Amino acid sequence: MKFDEIQFKGKKALVRADLNVPIKNGEITDNTRITACLPTVEKILQNGGAVILMSHLGRPQKKRKEDGSLDREQFTLRPVADEIAKLTGKEVALAEDVAGEDSQKKAANLKAGSILVIENTRFEEGESAGDKDLAKRMADMADIYINDAFGTAHREHASTATVARFFSRENKAFGLLMDRELREASRVSSDPNRPYTVILGGAKVSDKIQLIENLLPRANNLLIGGGMAYTFLKAKGGRIGKSILEEDQIPLVKRIMEKAKESGVNIHLPIDVTAASEFSENAQVKALPAGEIEDGFMGLDIGPKTVKSFSGVISDSKTIFWNGPMGVFEMKPFASGTIEVAKAIGEATKNGAYSLIGGGDSVAAVIQFGMENKMSFLSTGGGAMLTLLEGSELPAIKAMGG
Ligand code: AMP
């Protein structure tokens, strides 16, 4: 069912959101994820429904107290419930358990127009195991299930997948945030405006193989930067010094390059690099041709000629997907490749191209450079967006099917 078609009047909606916000000494340091889920919550309330919100927060099962018990004070959703109250101007109740006695009681008494937050789903061991009994207890509290937690859609947990199976098709839907992520992802995975350019970077090629294999047949250009480029350069017979290399991936990388050639996809590798004597901001730095890196040096960023050539391809594109930084952007001497590529994408977007930035580090880089408003869409779901674009089915989406 579509979110807009559901009748919420007089109903209780169990909303799985991603409220996993950073908290320091009990204070939320970034409330983006909370504000992101509010349109869904407010729509349900406006339509006469009540909302039972649930989310995980951190890893309480892994970070237990010394005596082995759960650190409820550190991982409680109390600050999140308080923040929602502040942002909505409503009273927000917090149940002291996860779909246990207190949650059931508070859910049963919940009035239309009200919000109840239940405790951190990961307080229950059954959450990560996708436990059916836990999921049933969650489902028992509500009439409708809404999944708005795109960032955890690649996990088969009780609150993200199992619970959905207890609701009929008419009584479950994706929330507004998740729906948007899915629509944006489809713009770069099915029938994109052409030319379509995929830009990949980041540390390791092995992490991105499935992504390359799925996107290669759909793309016109593949620009490769970051640490992963050196395995490609080595596979082409270049000298890469002590740059990051995954020797065991060379045969696969060669096959990818052959496949690209056969299907007319242009793979662009770095032409020049900023190389360093060590992995440090204070290293000796040299500009070198990409396939001629001296022994004792490692490539830590793409060079200015590469930036120019990549920017040219980007400015001719109508659809752009970017994942992974072009260099070690966290260190100032190696950030300019990533900054310049971000600028080129921003410029192309201004001229009418569609751009999607997905995957943790490139999103972090764009935000760090203050360029988030220059892109068409920044995905909030790092791992989930990558899994989706790798062509894999997300468990939380599959669970909505029946
Ligand atoms: P990923 O999570 O795979 O997207 O990788 C992101 C990380 O790759 C960032 O922390 C970058 O510092 C790192 N990275 C980018 N380029 C290089 C490079 N040339 N050598 C080593 N690490 C790199």
Side-chain angles (χ1 to χ4, degrees):
M1 196 83 161
K2 284 253 167 265
F3 183 78
D4 288 342
E5 294 165 8
I6 293 191
Q7 300 297 325
F8 289 103
K9 199 169 166 51
K11 299 275 171 65
K12 287 171 191 154
L14 178 64
V15 179
R16 176 46 160 110
D18 180 2
L19 305 174
N20 184 26
V21 289
I23 295 179
K24 249 194 196 141
N25 305 324
E27 298 283 330
I28 296 171
T29 54
D30 177 0
N31 71 359
T32 311
R33 286 183 171 156
I34 298 177
T35 52
C37 90
L38 288 185
T40 296
V41 171
E42 279 170 345
K43 192 91 209 244
I44 298 170
L45 299 180
Q46 277 161 17
N47 289 355
V51 171
I52 303 162
L53 264 171
M54 63 176 172
S55 173
H56 71 287
L57 178 73
R59 293 173 180 255
Q61 295 289 345
K62 294 225 167 81
K63 298 189 174 159
R64 284 170 176 261
K65 288 190 195 164
E66 256 172 39
D67 65 2
S69 63
L70 284 174
D71 192 343
R72 288 183 174 264
E73 297 78 41
Q74 194 190 340
F75 293 103
T76 176
L77 280 175
R78 166 60 66 200
V80 172
D82 290 347
E83 183 72 8
I84 296 171
K86 205 168 93 193
L87 292 168
T88 58
K90 287 184 170 294
E91 231 175 80
V92 175
L94 176 76
E96 62 194 35
D97 53 23
V98 187
E101 220 172 282
D102 191 48
S103 299
Q104 302 292 343
K105 200 170 79 203
K106 289 196 165 111
N109 294 327
L110 197 65
K111 301 266 175 315
S114 312
I115 305 171
L116 166 69
V117 176
I118 64 168
E119 258 302 2
N120 189 344
T121 53
R122 289 192 184 159
F123 281 172
E124 290 278 338
E125 260 175 275
E127 163 70 340
S128 318
D131 184 70
K132 275 204 186 107
D133 292 332
L134 173 61
K136 169 128 188 8
R137 279 193 280 126
M138 289 169 171
D140 282 346
M141 294 187 292
D143 310 294
I144 293 161
Y145 174 69
I146 301 295
N147 191 338
D148 211 17
F150 182 68
T152 52
H154 56 316
R155 307 205 185 278
E156 189 142 18
H157 289 178
S159 69
T160 60
T162 323
V163 65
R165 303 207 162 86
F166 290 95
F167 293 85
S168 64
R169 268 174 195 271
E170 304 73 54
N171 290 319
K172 58 185 168 186
F174 298 127
L176 298 171
L177 186 64
M178 179 125 165
D179 204 48
R180 166 110 200 254
E181 291 271 357
L182 297 176
R183 268 186 287 125
E184 302 285 348
S186 76
R187 294 189 68 165
V188 299
S189 54
S190 60
D191 202 20
N193 284 339
R194 296 187 179 279
Y196 173 25
T197 298
V198 172
I199 309 163
L200 295 180
K204 288 171 153 188
V205 66
S206 54
D207 291 342
K208 309 283 162 83
I209 290 291
Q210 230 185 308
L211 190 64
I212 299 175
E213 292 196 331
N214 191 44
L215 291 182
L216 194 66
R218 301 163 208 267
N220 301 99
N221 306 297
L222 178 59
L223 311 184
I224 295 184
M228 64 187 278
Y230 299 95
T231 303
F232 280 82
L233 291 163
K234 178 82 175 175
K236 287 188 83 170
R239 270 182 73 191
I240 62 163
K242 57 177 181 178
S243 307
I244 185 168
L245 168 69
E246 286 176 281
E247 196 113 41
D248 57 330
Q249 300 292 325
I250 287 181
L252 203 59
V253 159
K254 281 187 175 161
R255 268 211 307 282
I256 288 170
M257 289 194 285
E258 276 163 25
K259 233 191 223 153
K261 212 170 177 183
E262 283 163 19
S263 47
V265 180
N266 306 309
I267 294 192
H268 297 259
L269 296 175
I271 312 162
D272 59 344
V273 301
T274 301
S277 55
E278 55 184 316
F279 193 84
S280 153
E281 282 199 69
N282 307 316
Q284 187 195 341
V285 171
K286 262 187 192 179
L288 291 172
E292 296 171 33
I293 303 174
E294 302 161 19
D295 294 346
F297 277 81
M298 60 180 91
L300 293 184
D301 195 12
I302 56 173
K305 287 189 188 127
T306 309
V307 164
K308 204 163 167 216
S309 120
F310 282 14
S311 300
V313 177
I314 291 167
S315 76
D316 289 338
S317 303
K318 286 273 172 289
T319 304
I320 300 156
F321 169 63
W322 181 24
N323 167 267
M326 296 290 100
V328 183
F329 74 99
E330 301 94 331
M331 297 184 196
K332 212 163 171 219
F334 316 113
S336 76
T338 304
I339 295 177
E340 295 303 322
V341 161
K343 278 190 192 159
I345 300 172
E347 199 57 33
T349 309
K350 203 167 93 192
N351 295 328
Y354 171 80
S355 56
L356 189 150
I357 321 299
D361 269 329
S362 27
V363 172
V366 168
I367 292 171
Q368 188 183 311
F369 308 149
M371 285 191 236
E372 58 267 49
N373 296 327
K374 306 229 180 301
M375 314 300 179
S376 307
F377 187 66
L378 255 66
S379 172
T380 56
M385 180 58 86
L386 289 193
T387 311
L388 193 63
L389 295 179
E390 280 169 359
S392 308
E393 200 168 25
L394 302 183
I397 293 177
K398 195 171 165 208
M400 283 298 201

